[in-house]
């Protein structure tokens, strides 16, 4: 995230400390443990159903924010030809939209 912000917002405008303050850490923990993106993502991996199908079943008409954001970020990265520099973002997009195996996420982050 720091590298992404430095590249797209500007290194001079990115304060790395912001990412480690309590509000940033608390939001990350809450999202990872209790958010609807996490719950539906877990079902996505366990059931093999599509995200659209799971949204309908689990969210009562609401849409997930994570996959839409992954698609939008991927479009920007691809347009700028920098997808290889952001393997986490690229992998999440590929898992959500291109059928890449969820387990491959860990492989894509090797050495990062």
């Amino acid at each position: 995230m720091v590298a992404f912000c430095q590249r797209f917002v500007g290194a001079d405008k990115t304060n790395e400390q912001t990412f480690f303050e309590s509000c940033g850490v608390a939001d990350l923990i809450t999202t990872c443990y209790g958010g609807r993106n996490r719950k539906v993502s877990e079902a996505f991996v366990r059931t093999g159903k599509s995200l659209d199908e799971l949204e309908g079943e689990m969210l009562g008409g609401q849409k997930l924010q994570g996959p839409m954001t992954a698609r939008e970020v991927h479009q920007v990265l691809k347009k700028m030809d920098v997808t290889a520099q952001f393997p986490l973002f690229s992998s999440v997009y590929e898992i959500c939209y291109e059928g890449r195996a969820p387990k491959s996420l860990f492989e894509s982050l090797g050495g990062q």
Side-chain angles (χ1 to χ4, degrees):
M1 283 303 301
V2 174
F4 183 87
C5 289
Q6 287 174 337
R7 173 144 191 146
F8 293 100
V9 176
D12 59 326
K13 296 178 184 174
T14 302
N15 181 348
E16 290 185 34
Q17 190 61 34
T18 302
F19 296 92
F20 300 104
E21 291 179 359
S22 63
C23 60
V25 173
D27 186 53
L28 178 63
I29 292 169
T30 300
T31 299
C32 290
Y33 284 102
R36 65 178 174 230
N37 284 296
R38 194 232 17 114
K39 291 175 185 174
V40 175
S41 296
E42 183 178 329
F44 175 73
V45 172
R46 290 183 189 270
T47 68
K49 294 180 181 180
S50 72
L51 290 171
D52 287 336
E53 193 174 358
L54 291 168
E55 283 175 334
E57 291 176 9
M58 299 176 71
L59 301 180
Q62 294 182 337
K63 298 293 281 179
L64 291 172
Q65 297 150 337
M68 288 189 292
T69 301
R71 181 176 36 227
E72 292 168 1
V73 168
H74 181 75
Q75 289 169 348
V76 171
L77 296 176
K78 189 173 179 179
K79 183 176 181 179
M80 298 183 75
D81 195 28
V82 294
T83 56
Q85 294 175 29
F86 299 95
L88 176 61
F89 295 132
S90 299
S91 295
V92 170
Y93 170 80
E94 291 165 2
I95 291 166
C96 291
Y97 295 105
E98 295 183 350
R100 184 173 176 178
K103 284 186 177 183
S104 70
L105 176 68
F106 300 107
E107 296 165 8
S108 70
L109 300 178
Q112 294 295 321

